């Protein structure tokens, strides 16, 4: 859990945006890989706020080694996923 807290804090320091949640978390050979959800632009109503998912990489000590935005979306929208694996 401490690694998650450190990652959120480091990402906030670099981007100036607070992480709202961690949507995935896994250990890798190099350390840790996370996907973090961030509020990028607050709008009214809140369901129209602009969110983003960031892929965050940490070394084995929990220090951030890289990040990139992988997706932007409105808070009220769900992913468009096709059924049947297509």
């Amino acid at each position: 859990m401490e690694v998650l807290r450190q990652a959120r804090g480091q990402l906030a320091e670099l981007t100036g945006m607070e992480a709202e949640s961690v949507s995935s978390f896994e250990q890798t050979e190099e350390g840790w890989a996370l996907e973090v959800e961030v509020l990028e632009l607050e709008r009214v109503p809140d369901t129209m706020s602009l969110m983003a998912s960031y892929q965050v990489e940490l070394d084995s000590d929990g220090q951030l080694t890289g990040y990139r935005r992988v997706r932007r979306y409105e808070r009220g929208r769900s992913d468009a996923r096709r059924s049947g694996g297509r």
Side-chain angles (χ1 to χ4, degrees):
M1 294 308 293
E2 185 59 33
V3 170
L4 293 174
R5 280 189 280 280
Q6 287 178 5
R8 290 174 66 155
Q10 291 176 67
L11 184 64
E13 188 174 335
L14 287 169
T15 64
M17 297 175 285
E18 292 295 322
E20 289 208 350
S21 65
V22 175
S23 56
S24 71
F25 176 68
E26 66 179 302
Q27 191 167 15
T28 67
E29 289 182 15
E30 296 81 27
W32 304 94
L34 294 79
E35 191 159 316
V36 179
E37 307 304 314
V38 172
L39 174 64
E40 285 202 335
L41 179 63
E42 192 169 7
R43 293 183 177 159
V44 175
D46 190 48
T47 56
M48 298 301 292
S49 292
L50 192 58
M51 303 292 294
S53 295
Y54 282 83
Q55 182 179 337
V56 178
E57 297 173 4
L58 308 168
D59 65 16
S60 58
D61 294 323
Q63 295 301 307
L64 193 140
T65 59
Y67 74 94
R68 68 185 175 101
R69 185 175 61 204
V70 294
R71 186 169 81 101
R72 290 178 92 185
Y73 59 97
E74 290 177 339
R75 185 188 295 272
R77 298 206 184 231
S78 62
D79 285 338
R81 296 186 191 237
R82 296 181 183 171
S83 62
R86 296 184 214 157

